[in-house]
Amino acid sequence: MKADELGCWEPERPEDMADLFAKAAFPWWIAGGYAIELAIGRELRPHGDLDVLILRRDQVLLRDLLAGWDLFVADPPGLGRLCPWHSGEVLQPPLHDIWCRRTPEAPWSVQLMLDESEGDEWVSRRTPQIRLPIERVGRTSASGIPYLAPEVQLFYKAKATRDKDETDFEAVLPLLEEGQRVWLAEAIKVIVPDHPWRRRLLSVS
């Protein structure tokens, strides 16, 4: 499927995913801008899609959970070409971006991202230097929805920041504890050493 055949998006809500993944036997987290909103407890802006992060090791369980969905993997990632993700097919790096819709006729509604892990550690797909214990990768909202910890989400947003990423950063910065700020500043240093967020993170009193 080529870029001009991709179709439109009507994103699911985080609550929809919580219902869908209620019986999932693996960790998962709402990601992207919705993760920031779950962290701060309020809406910030409209969203064009809904991102969910899963560990690559759990992809077989994920594929079974979504057996009735229409699933495509971006191959290669980011270049506008989608290929069907067939049952039983194991996705290897660098493939990590999966577009999902409930039926072939429905609009796209979820973007699944596969991240790496080693033992009990989450490992960033961008560089194995960046890692955390899996138990620290996510938080749970007051309504019980798992979401990506804001420092992890901001790390992914830092590589090529857009206006909406600046909005997310400004909204969540006052809520970050010292350990979160220091970790994020050091993680960003690995990919964008002169990123302006680093100064802001390290200057918060």
Side-chain angles (χ1 to χ4, degrees):
M1 184 182 298
K2 297 180 181 179
D4 58 358
E5 302 169 341
L6 296 184
C8 64
W9 273 84
E10 290 184 14
E12 305 272 351
R13 298 286 297 175
E15 295 82 0
D16 301 325
M17 291 298 97
D19 290 341
L20 180 65
F21 283 84
K23 296 182 179 180
F26 54 86
W28 63 275
W29 305 274
I30 297 293
Y34 277 116
I36 300 298
E37 291 184 347
L38 288 168
I40 66 175
R42 60 184 174 88
E43 293 186 4
L44 283 174
R45 53 182 172 78
H47 299 275
D49 60 5
L50 172 66
D51 300 329
V52 178
L53 188 133
I54 310 287
L55 298 176
R56 185 180 299 276
R57 69 183 188 189
D58 297 319
Q59 64 175 291
V60 173
L61 296 174
L62 170 67
R63 186 66 184 77
D64 290 344
L65 182 68
L66 299 179
W69 285 56
D70 195 40
L71 307 176
F72 283 74
V73 59
D75 183 10
L79 294 184
R81 176 179 171 81
L82 299 179
C83 300
W85 185 22
H86 300 292
S87 179
E89 179 183 4
V90 177
L91 303 178
Q92 301 294 340
L95 302 181
H96 66 267
D97 184 3
I98 303 160
W99 289 34
C100 313
R101 54 191 176 186
R102 292 184 179 269
T103 69
E105 295 76 28
W108 302 106
S109 57
V110 183
Q111 191 167 8
L112 294 169
M113 314 300 291
L114 300 181
D115 249 1
E116 311 306 322
S117 61
E118 291 181 8
D120 294 331
E121 286 192 317
W122 160 81
V123 180
S124 169
R125 63 179 176 270
R126 290 191 176 155
T127 171
Q129 288 178 256
I130 307 303
R131 54 182 67 210
L132 275 174
I134 292 173
E135 64 185 16
R136 288 180 52 194
V137 169
R139 306 285 189 273
T140 303
S141 73
S143 57
I145 301 175
Y147 64 92
L148 205 59
E151 65 269 29
V152 177
Q153 184 57 68
L154 289 174
F155 164 73
Y156 276 126
K157 286 175 169 287
K159 184 176 180 180
T161 51
R162 302 152 294 182
D163 288 346
K164 64 181 181 180
D165 302 321
E166 296 291 348
T167 297
D168 291 348
F169 177 77
E170 293 293 340
V172 82
L173 177 61
L175 303 181
L176 297 180
E177 298 178 354
E178 181 180 5
Q180 294 173 288
R181 296 195 307 269
V182 171
W183 181 89
L184 178 56
E186 291 302 308
I188 292 175
K189 184 179 180 180
V190 174
I191 56 170
V192 189
D194 59 349
H195 199 293
W197 286 1
R198 297 193 65 248
R199 182 174 62 257
R200 296 284 309 283
L201 288 162
L202 297 175
S203 64
V204 174
S205 58

PDB file of all heavy atoms in Angstrom, residues 113-148:
ATOM      1  N   MET A 113       3.343   1.067  18.442  1.00  0.00           N
ATOM      2  CA  MET A 113       4.790   1.204  18.353  1.00  0.00           C
ATOM      3  C   MET A 113       5.433   0.084  19.157  1.00  0.00           C
ATOM      4  O   MET A 113       5.081  -0.130  20.329  1.00  0.00           O
ATOM      5  CB  MET A 113       5.236   2.562  18.900  1.00  0.00           C
ATOM      6  CG  MET A 113       4.415   3.750  18.412  1.00  0.00           C
ATOM      7  SD  MET A 113       4.440   3.966  16.618  1.00  0.00           S
ATOM      8  CE  MET A 113       6.135   4.473  16.374  1.00  0.00           C
ATOM      9  N   LEU A 114       6.367  -0.639  18.548  1.00  0.00           N
ATOM     10  CA  LEU A 114       7.094  -1.697  19.237  1.00  0.00           C
ATOM     11  C   LEU A 114       8.421  -1.154  19.744  1.00  0.00           C
ATOM     12  O   LEU A 114       9.196  -0.571  18.984  1.00  0.00           O
ATOM     13  CB  LEU A 114       7.357  -2.879  18.296  1.00  0.00           C
ATOM     14  CG  LEU A 114       6.138  -3.568  17.683  1.00  0.00           C
ATOM     15  CD1 LEU A 114       6.595  -4.727  16.792  1.00  0.00           C
ATOM     16  CD2 LEU A 114       5.188  -4.070  18.764  1.00  0.00           C
ATOM     17  N   ASP A 115       8.680  -1.329  21.037  1.00  0.00           N
ATOM     18  CA  ASP A 115       9.955  -0.929  21.617  1.00  0.00           C
ATOM     19  C   ASP A 115      10.698  -2.159  22.111  1.00  0.00           C
ATOM     20  O   ASP A 115      10.114  -3.232  22.299  1.00  0.00           O
ATOM     21  CB  ASP A 115       9.741   0.071  22.758  1.00  0.00           C
ATOM     22  CG  ASP A 115      10.247   1.456  22.405  1.00  0.00           C
ATOM     23  OD1 ASP A 115      10.737   1.647  21.274  1.00  0.00           O
ATOM     24  OD2 ASP A 115      10.164   2.366  23.254  1.00  0.00           O
ATOM     25  N   GLU A 116      11.982  -1.983  22.362  1.00  0.00           N
ATOM     26  CA  GLU A 116      12.845  -3.105  22.709  1.00  0.00           C
ATOM     27  C   GLU A 116      12.913  -3.309  24.225  1.00  0.00           C
ATOM     28  O   GLU A 116      12.528  -2.439  25.013  1.00  0.00           O
ATOM     29  CB  GLU A 116      14.248  -2.885  22.143  1.00  0.00           C
ATOM     30  CG  GLU A 116      14.275  -2.488  20.675  1.00  0.00           C
ATOM     31  CD  GLU A 116      13.523  -3.447  19.766  1.00  0.00           C
ATOM     32  OE1 GLU A 116      13.591  -4.669  20.016  1.00  0.00           O
ATOM     33  OE2 GLU A 116      12.864  -2.986  18.823  1.00  0.00           O
ATOM     34  N   SER A 117      13.420  -4.451  24.616  1.00  0.00           N
ATOM     35  CA  SER A 117      13.631  -4.742  26.037  1.00  0.00           C
ATOM     36  C   SER A 117      14.753  -5.767  26.172  1.00  0.00           C
ATOM     37  O   SER A 117      15.037  -6.530  25.240  1.00  0.00           O
ATOM     38  CB  SER A 117      12.348  -5.273  26.688  1.00  0.00           C
ATOM     39  OG  SER A 117      11.929  -6.487  26.067  1.00  0.00           O
ATOM     40  N   GLU A 118      15.380  -5.743  27.343  1.00  0.00           N
ATOM     41  CA  GLU A 118      16.373  -6.748  27.716  1.00  0.00           C
ATOM     42  C   GLU A 118      16.108  -7.124  29.157  1.00  0.00           C
ATOM     43  O   GLU A 118      16.282  -6.294  30.055  1.00  0.00           O
ATOM     44  CB  GLU A 118      17.796  -6.209  27.554  1.00  0.00           C
ATOM     45  CG  GLU A 118      18.227  -5.975  26.113  1.00  0.00           C
ATOM     46  CD  GLU A 118      19.649  -5.457  26.010  1.00  0.00           C
ATOM     47  OE1 GLU A 118      20.348  -5.421  27.050  1.00  0.00           O
ATOM     48  OE2 GLU A 118      20.053  -5.095  24.893  1.00  0.00           O
ATOM     49  N   GLY A 119      15.661  -8.354  29.377  1.00  0.00           N
ATOM     50  CA  GLY A 119      15.331  -8.762  30.734  1.00  0.00           C
ATOM     51  C   GLY A 119      14.229  -7.891  31.298  1.00  0.00           C
ATOM     52  O   GLY A 119      13.155  -7.763  30.707  1.00  0.00           O
ATOM     53  N   ASP A 120      14.496  -7.252  32.430  1.00  0.00           N
ATOM     54  CA  ASP A 120      13.508  -6.396  33.081  1.00  0.00           C
ATOM     55  C   ASP A 120      13.655  -4.931  32.686  1.00  0.00           C
ATOM     56  O   ASP A 120      13.059  -4.062  33.324  1.00  0.00           O
ATOM     57  CB  ASP A 120      13.641  -6.514  34.605  1.00  0.00           C
ATOM     58  CG  ASP A 120      13.279  -7.906  35.107  1.00  0.00           C
ATOM     59  OD1 ASP A 120      12.441  -8.568  34.453  1.00  0.00           O
ATOM     60  OD2 ASP A 120      13.830  -8.330  36.132  1.00  0.00           O
ATOM     61  N   GLU A 121      14.432  -4.649  31.636  1.00  0.00           N
ATOM     62  CA  GLU A 121      14.661  -3.270  31.230  1.00  0.00           C
ATOM     63  C   GLU A 121      14.010  -2.945  29.891  1.00  0.00           C
ATOM     64  O   GLU A 121      14.065  -3.748  28.955  1.00  0.00           O
ATOM     65  CB  GLU A 121      16.160  -2.974  31.118  1.00  0.00           C
ATOM     66  CG  GLU A 121      16.874  -2.846  32.440  1.00  0.00           C
ATOM     67  CD  GLU A 121      18.265  -2.275  32.259  1.00  0.00           C
ATOM     68  OE1 GLU A 121      18.957  -2.707  31.317  1.00  0.00           O
ATOM     69  OE2 GLU A 121      18.662  -1.406  33.063  1.00  0.00           O
ATOM     70  N   TRP A 122      13.384  -1.773  29.833  1.00  0.00           N
ATOM     71  CA  TRP A 122      12.992  -1.185  28.562  1.00  0.00           C
ATOM     72  C   TRP A 122      14.223  -0.577  27.918  1.00  0.00           C
ATOM     73  O   TRP A 122      15.058   0.036  28.595  1.00  0.00           O
ATOM     74  CB  TRP A 122      11.943  -0.102  28.791  1.00  0.00           C
ATOM     75  CG  TRP A 122      11.807   0.886  27.656  1.00  0.00           C
ATOM     76  CD1 TRP A 122      11.112   0.715  26.503  1.00  0.00           C
ATOM     77  CD2 TRP A 122      12.403   2.191  27.567  1.00  0.00           C
ATOM     78  NE1 TRP A 122      11.227   1.824  25.704  1.00  0.00           N
ATOM     79  CE2 TRP A 122      12.015   2.750  26.324  1.00  0.00           C
ATOM     80  CE3 TRP A 122      13.229   2.929  28.410  1.00  0.00           C
ATOM     81  CZ2 TRP A 122      12.424   4.007  25.918  1.00  0.00           C
ATOM     82  CZ3 TRP A 122      13.630   4.195  28.011  1.00  0.00           C
ATOM     83  CH2 TRP A 122      13.232   4.727  26.779  1.00  0.00           C
ATOM     84  N   VAL A 123      14.355  -0.761  26.592  1.00  0.00           N
ATOM     85  CA  VAL A 123      15.497  -0.226  25.849  1.00  0.00           C
ATOM     86  C   VAL A 123      14.949   0.576  24.676  1.00  0.00           C
ATOM     87  O   VAL A 123      14.170   0.066  23.873  1.00  0.00           O
ATOM     88  CB  VAL A 123      16.413  -1.354  25.331  1.00  0.00           C
ATOM     89  CG1 VAL A 123      17.594  -0.769  24.564  1.00  0.00           C
ATOM     90  CG2 VAL A 123      16.898  -2.233  26.485  1.00  0.00           C
ATOM     91  N   SER A 124      15.357   1.829  24.576  1.00  0.00           N
ATOM     92  CA  SER A 124      14.856   2.665  23.487  1.00  0.00           C
ATOM     93  C   SER A 124      15.238   2.073  22.135  1.00  0.00           C
ATOM     94  O   SER A 124      16.370   1.625  21.936  1.00  0.00           O
ATOM     95  CB  SER A 124      15.434   4.080  23.599  1.00  0.00           C
ATOM     96  OG  SER A 124      15.166   4.827  22.423  1.00  0.00           O
ATOM     97  N   ARG A 125      14.287   2.106  21.206  1.00  0.00           N
ATOM     98  CA  ARG A 125      14.584   1.611  19.861  1.00  0.00           C
ATOM     99  C   ARG A 125      15.562   2.530  19.137  1.00  0.00           C
ATOM    100  O   ARG A 125      16.126   2.144  18.119  1.00  0.00           O
ATOM    101  CB  ARG A 125      13.299   1.455  19.051  1.00  0.00           C
ATOM    102  CG  ARG A 125      12.541   2.738  18.797  1.00  0.00           C
ATOM    103  CD  ARG A 125      11.283   2.507  17.965  1.00  0.00           C
ATOM    104  NE  ARG A 125      10.527   3.729  17.803  1.00  0.00           N
ATOM    105  CZ  ARG A 125       9.572   4.138  18.626  1.00  0.00           C
ATOM    106  NH1 ARG A 125       9.270   3.400  19.674  1.00  0.00           N
ATOM    107  NH2 ARG A 125       8.923   5.263  18.401  1.00  0.00           N
ATOM    108  N   ARG A 126      15.746   3.752  19.629  1.00  0.00           N
ATOM    109  CA  ARG A 126      16.654   4.691  18.965  1.00  0.00           C
ATOM    110  C   ARG A 126      18.109   4.453  19.329  1.00  0.00           C
ATOM    111  O   ARG A 126      18.984   4.651  18.506  1.00  0.00           O
ATOM    112  CB  ARG A 126      16.257   6.128  19.310  1.00  0.00           C
ATOM    113  CG  ARG A 126      14.941   6.517  18.652  1.00  0.00           C
ATOM    114  CD  ARG A 126      14.672   7.985  18.747  1.00  0.00           C
ATOM    115  NE  ARG A 126      13.453   8.306  18.019  1.00  0.00           N
ATOM    116  CZ  ARG A 126      12.710   9.352  18.275  1.00  0.00           C
ATOM    117  NH1 ARG A 126      13.056  10.195  19.248  1.00  0.00           N
ATOM    118  NH2 ARG A 126      11.622   9.593  17.566  1.00  0.00           N
ATOM    119  N   THR A 127      18.350   4.070  20.567  1.00  0.00           N
ATOM    120  CA  THR A 127      19.720   3.794  20.995  1.00  0.00           C
ATOM    121  C   THR A 127      19.683   2.950  22.261  1.00  0.00           C
ATOM    122  O   THR A 127      18.962   3.283  23.203  1.00  0.00           O
ATOM    123  CB  THR A 127      20.514   5.086  21.260  1.00  0.00           C
ATOM    124  OG1 THR A 127      21.760   4.746  21.870  1.00  0.00           O
ATOM    125  CG2 THR A 127      19.750   6.045  22.156  1.00  0.00           C
ATOM    126  N   PRO A 128      20.449   1.871  22.300  1.00  0.00           N
ATOM    127  CA  PRO A 128      20.431   0.999  23.482  1.00  0.00           C
ATOM    128  C   PRO A 128      21.031   1.655  24.721  1.00  0.00           C
ATOM    129  O   PRO A 128      20.924   1.107  25.820  1.00  0.00           O
ATOM    130  CB  PRO A 128      21.255  -0.222  23.043  1.00  0.00           C
ATOM    131  CG  PRO A 128      22.100   0.270  21.926  1.00  0.00           C
ATOM    132  CD  PRO A 128      21.293   1.320  21.219  1.00  0.00           C
ATOM    133  N   GLN A 129      21.637   2.826  24.579  1.00  0.00           N
ATOM    134  CA  GLN A 129      22.140   3.543  25.745  1.00  0.00           C
ATOM    135  C   GLN A 129      21.014   4.014  26.648  1.00  0.00           C
ATOM    136  O   GLN A 129      21.204   4.189  27.851  1.00  0.00           O
ATOM    137  CB  GLN A 129      22.947   4.771  25.315  1.00  0.00           C
ATOM    138  CG  GLN A 129      24.290   4.487  24.698  1.00  0.00           C
ATOM    139  CD  GLN A 129      24.968   5.778  24.282  1.00  0.00           C
ATOM    140  OE1 GLN A 129      25.008   6.121  23.106  1.00  0.00           O
ATOM    141  NE2 GLN A 129      25.489   6.503  25.243  1.00  0.00           N
ATOM    142  N   ILE A 130      19.856   4.250  26.062  1.00  0.00           N
ATOM    143  CA  ILE A 130      18.735   4.800  26.805  1.00  0.00           C
ATOM    144  C   ILE A 130      17.844   3.656  27.256  1.00  0.00           C
ATOM    145  O   ILE A 130      17.255   2.949  26.446  1.00  0.00           O
ATOM    146  CB  ILE A 130      17.924   5.786  25.940  1.00  0.00           C
ATOM    147  CG1 ILE A 130      18.841   6.849  25.345  1.00  0.00           C
ATOM    148  CG2 ILE A 130      16.810   6.406  26.755  1.00  0.00           C
ATOM    149  CD1 ILE A 130      19.624   7.640  26.368  1.00  0.00           C
ATOM    150  N   ARG A 131      17.726   3.497  28.578  1.00  0.00           N
ATOM    151  CA  ARG A 131      16.950   2.389  29.119  1.00  0.00           C
ATOM    152  C   ARG A 131      16.437   2.731  30.505  1.00  0.00           C
ATOM    153  O   ARG A 131      16.932   3.647  31.167  1.00  0.00           O
ATOM    154  CB  ARG A 131      17.774   1.106  29.136  1.00  0.00           C
ATOM    155  CG  ARG A 131      19.120   1.214  29.854  1.00  0.00           C
ATOM    156  CD  ARG A 131      19.880  -0.108  29.757  1.00  0.00           C
ATOM    157  NE  ARG A 131      20.290  -0.410  28.395  1.00  0.00           N
ATOM    158  CZ  ARG A 131      20.433  -1.649  27.918  1.00  0.00           C
ATOM    159  NH1 ARG A 131      20.185  -2.693  28.694  1.00  0.00           N
ATOM    160  NH2 ARG A 131      20.811  -1.842  26.669  1.00  0.00           N
ATOM    161  N   LEU A 132      15.451   1.969  30.938  1.00  0.00           N
ATOM    162  CA  LEU A 132      14.850   2.116  32.257  1.00  0.00           C
ATOM    163  C   LEU A 132      14.299   0.757  32.687  1.00  0.00           C
ATOM    164  O   LEU A 132      13.949  -0.069  31.823  1.00  0.00           O
ATOM    165  CB  LEU A 132      13.681   3.100  32.226  1.00  0.00           C
ATOM    166  CG  LEU A 132      13.935   4.603  32.366  1.00  0.00           C
ATOM    167  CD1 LEU A 132      12.627   5.350  32.151  1.00  0.00           C
ATOM    168  CD2 LEU A 132      14.501   4.933  33.742  1.00  0.00           C
ATOM    169  N   PRO A 133      14.169   0.518  33.982  1.00  0.00           N
ATOM    170  CA  PRO A 133      13.404  -0.655  34.404  1.00  0.00           C
ATOM    171  C   PRO A 133      11.983  -0.568  33.839  1.00  0.00           C
ATOM    172  O   PRO A 133      11.376   0.513  33.834  1.00  0.00           O
ATOM    173  CB  PRO A 133      13.405  -0.536  35.937  1.00  0.00           C
ATOM    174  CG  PRO A 133      14.615   0.277  36.260  1.00  0.00           C
ATOM    175  CD  PRO A 133      14.747   1.257  35.131  1.00  0.00           C
ATOM    176  N   ILE A 134      11.470  -1.668  33.354  1.00  0.00           N
ATOM    177  CA  ILE A 134      10.141  -1.657  32.734  1.00  0.00           C
ATOM    178  C   ILE A 134       9.095  -1.099  33.689  1.00  0.00           C
ATOM    179  O   ILE A 134       8.178  -0.377  33.266  1.00  0.00           O
ATOM    180  CB  ILE A 134       9.764  -3.070  32.255  1.00  0.00           C
ATOM    181  CG1 ILE A 134      10.667  -3.492  31.087  1.00  0.00           C
ATOM    182  CG2 ILE A 134       8.296  -3.146  31.840  1.00  0.00           C
ATOM    183  CD1 ILE A 134      10.503  -4.932  30.654  1.00  0.00           C
ATOM    184  N   GLU A 135       9.241  -1.351  34.971  1.00  0.00           N
ATOM    185  CA  GLU A 135       8.259  -0.860  35.940  1.00  0.00           C
ATOM    186  C   GLU A 135       8.234   0.666  36.029  1.00  0.00           C
ATOM    187  O   GLU A 135       7.280   1.246  36.547  1.00  0.00           O
ATOM    188  CB  GLU A 135       8.537  -1.449  37.317  1.00  0.00           C
ATOM    189  CG  GLU A 135       9.878  -1.032  37.906  1.00  0.00           C
ATOM    190  CD  GLU A 135      10.178  -1.716  39.221  1.00  0.00           C
ATOM    191  OE1 GLU A 135       9.524  -2.721  39.533  1.00  0.00           O
ATOM    192  OE2 GLU A 135      11.084  -1.239  39.940  1.00  0.00           O
ATOM    193  N   ARG A 136       9.284   1.329  35.517  1.00  0.00           N
ATOM    194  CA  ARG A 136       9.326   2.794  35.549  1.00  0.00           C
ATOM    195  C   ARG A 136       8.943   3.440  34.223  1.00  0.00           C
ATOM    196  O   ARG A 136       8.895   4.664  34.117  1.00  0.00           O
ATOM    197  CB  ARG A 136      10.736   3.266  35.937  1.00  0.00           C
ATOM    198  CG  ARG A 136      11.101   3.024  37.392  1.00  0.00           C
ATOM    199  CD  ARG A 136      12.494   3.517  37.689  1.00  0.00           C
ATOM    200  NE  ARG A 136      12.697   4.913  37.271  1.00  0.00           N
ATOM    201  CZ  ARG A 136      13.895   5.482  37.183  1.00  0.00           C
ATOM    202  NH1 ARG A 136      14.986   4.788  37.480  1.00  0.00           N
ATOM    203  NH2 ARG A 136      13.995   6.744  36.790  1.00  0.00           N
ATOM    204  N   VAL A 137       8.654   2.643  33.225  1.00  0.00           N
ATOM    205  CA  VAL A 137       8.350   3.183  31.897  1.00  0.00           C
ATOM    206  C   VAL A 137       6.985   3.839  31.855  1.00  0.00           C
ATOM    207  O   VAL A 137       6.773   4.786  31.098  1.00  0.00           O
ATOM    208  CB  VAL A 137       8.448   2.063  30.834  1.00  0.00           C
ATOM    209  CG1 VAL A 137       7.893   2.518  29.491  1.00  0.00           C
ATOM    210  CG2 VAL A 137       9.886   1.619  30.687  1.00  0.00           C
ATOM    211  N   GLY A 138       6.063   3.351  32.654  1.00  0.00           N
ATOM    212  CA  GLY A 138       4.700   3.855  32.582  1.00  0.00           C
ATOM    213  C   GLY A 138       4.153   4.320  33.912  1.00  0.00           C
ATOM    214  O   GLY A 138       4.746   4.127  34.972  1.00  0.00           O
ATOM    215  N   ARG A 139       3.002   4.972  33.824  1.00  0.00           N
ATOM    216  CA  ARG A 139       2.210   5.402  34.977  1.00  0.00           C
ATOM    217  C   ARG A 139       0.781   4.932  34.720  1.00  0.00           C
ATOM    218  O   ARG A 139       0.455   4.455  33.638  1.00  0.00           O
ATOM    219  CB  ARG A 139       2.228   6.922  35.132  1.00  0.00           C
ATOM    220  CG  ARG A 139       3.613   7.542  35.195  1.00  0.00           C
ATOM    221  CD  ARG A 139       4.282   7.321  36.535  1.00  0.00           C
ATOM    222  NE  ARG A 139       5.517   8.105  36.639  1.00  0.00           N
ATOM    223  CZ  ARG A 139       6.707   7.693  36.217  1.00  0.00           C
ATOM    224  NH1 ARG A 139       6.813   6.502  35.630  1.00  0.00           N
ATOM    225  NH2 ARG A 139       7.786   8.440  36.378  1.00  0.00           N
ATOM    226  N   THR A 140      -0.082   5.114  35.694  1.00  0.00           N
ATOM    227  CA  THR A 140      -1.490   4.783  35.538  1.00  0.00           C
ATOM    228  C   THR A 140      -2.316   5.996  35.913  1.00  0.00           C
ATOM    229  O   THR A 140      -2.098   6.600  36.972  1.00  0.00           O
ATOM    230  CB  THR A 140      -1.893   3.581  36.417  1.00  0.00           C
ATOM    231  OG1 THR A 140      -1.060   2.460  36.087  1.00  0.00           O
ATOM    232  CG2 THR A 140      -3.346   3.204  36.185  1.00  0.00           C
ATOM    233  N   SER A 141      -3.251   6.374  35.051  1.00  0.00           N
ATOM    234  CA  SER A 141      -4.075   7.550  35.296  1.00  0.00           C
ATOM    235  C   SER A 141      -5.078   7.274  36.410  1.00  0.00           C
ATOM    236  O   SER A 141      -5.286   6.130  36.831  1.00  0.00           O
ATOM    237  CB  SER A 141      -4.824   7.936  34.025  1.00  0.00           C
ATOM    238  OG  SER A 141      -5.864   7.008  33.764  1.00  0.00           O
ATOM    239  N   ALA A 142      -5.713   8.332  36.877  1.00  0.00           N
ATOM    240  CA  ALA A 142      -6.716   8.193  37.926  1.00  0.00           C
ATOM    241  C   ALA A 142      -7.854   7.286  37.493  1.00  0.00           C
ATOM    242  O   ALA A 142      -8.499   6.637  38.328  1.00  0.00           O
ATOM    243  CB  ALA A 142      -7.254   9.575  38.312  1.00  0.00           C
ATOM    244  N   SER A 143      -8.101   7.223  36.183  1.00  0.00           N
ATOM    245  CA  SER A 143      -9.167   6.356  35.666  1.00  0.00           C
ATOM    246  C   SER A 143      -8.674   4.959  35.323  1.00  0.00           C
ATOM    247  O   SER A 143      -9.417   4.158  34.758  1.00  0.00           O
ATOM    248  CB  SER A 143      -9.806   6.997  34.433  1.00  0.00           C
ATOM    249  OG  SER A 143      -8.827   7.252  33.439  1.00  0.00           O
ATOM    250  N   GLY A 144      -7.407   4.661  35.645  1.00  0.00           N
ATOM    251  CA  GLY A 144      -6.879   3.313  35.465  1.00  0.00           C
ATOM    252  C   GLY A 144      -6.282   3.025  34.106  1.00  0.00           C
ATOM    253  O   GLY A 144      -6.068   1.853  33.762  1.00  0.00           O
ATOM    254  N   ILE A 145      -5.967   4.053  33.320  1.00  0.00           N
ATOM    255  CA  ILE A 145      -5.409   3.857  31.986  1.00  0.00           C
ATOM    256  C   ILE A 145      -3.886   3.943  32.040  1.00  0.00           C
ATOM    257  O   ILE A 145      -3.333   4.958  32.483  1.00  0.00           O
ATOM    258  CB  ILE A 145      -5.945   4.915  31.006  1.00  0.00           C
ATOM    259  CG1 ILE A 145      -7.471   4.831  30.934  1.00  0.00           C
ATOM    260  CG2 ILE A 145      -5.337   4.722  29.614  1.00  0.00           C
ATOM    261  CD1 ILE A 145      -8.102   5.923  30.077  1.00  0.00           C
ATOM    262  N   PRO A 146      -3.160   2.910  31.597  1.00  0.00           N
ATOM    263  CA  PRO A 146      -1.702   2.986  31.572  1.00  0.00           C
ATOM    264  C   PRO A 146      -1.228   3.967  30.499  1.00  0.00           C
ATOM    265  O   PRO A 146      -1.760   3.987  29.389  1.00  0.00           O
ATOM    266  CB  PRO A 146      -1.273   1.547  31.216  1.00  0.00           C
ATOM    267  CG  PRO A 146      -2.486   0.700  31.414  1.00  0.00           C
ATOM    268  CD  PRO A 146      -3.652   1.595  31.161  1.00  0.00           C
ATOM    269  N   TYR A 147      -0.229   4.770  30.830  1.00  0.00           N
ATOM    270  CA  TYR A 147       0.324   5.699  29.852  1.00  0.00           C
ATOM    271  C   TYR A 147       1.833   5.798  30.026  1.00  0.00           C
ATOM    272  O   TYR A 147       2.370   5.514  31.108  1.00  0.00           O
ATOM    273  CB  TYR A 147      -0.329   7.084  29.963  1.00  0.00           C
ATOM    274  CG  TYR A 147      -0.093   7.802  31.271  1.00  0.00           C
ATOM    275  CD1 TYR A 147       0.978   8.668  31.437  1.00  0.00           C
ATOM    276  CD2 TYR A 147      -0.962   7.628  32.354  1.00  0.00           C
ATOM    277  CE1 TYR A 147       1.198   9.334  32.644  1.00  0.00           C
ATOM    278  CE2 TYR A 147      -0.755   8.289  33.554  1.00  0.00           C
ATOM    279  CZ  TYR A 147       0.320   9.141  33.685  1.00  0.00           C
ATOM    280  OH  TYR A 147       0.537   9.804  34.874  1.00  0.00           O
ATOM    281  N   LEU A 148       2.496   6.175  28.960  1.00  0.00           N
ATOM    282  CA  LEU A 148       3.945   6.279  28.971  1.00  0.00           C
ATOM    283  C   LEU A 148       4.371   7.407  29.897  1.00  0.00           C
ATOM    284  O   LEU A 148       3.812   8.502  29.853  1.00  0.00           O
ATOM    285  CB  LEU A 148       4.450   6.537  27.547  1.00  0.00           C
ATOM    286  CG  LEU A 148       5.874   6.113  27.202  1.00  0.00           C
ATOM    287  CD1 LEU A 148       6.079   4.632  27.422  1.00  0.00           C
ATOM    288  CD2 LEU A 148       6.180   6.480  25.748  1.00  0.00           C
TER     289      LEU A 148
END
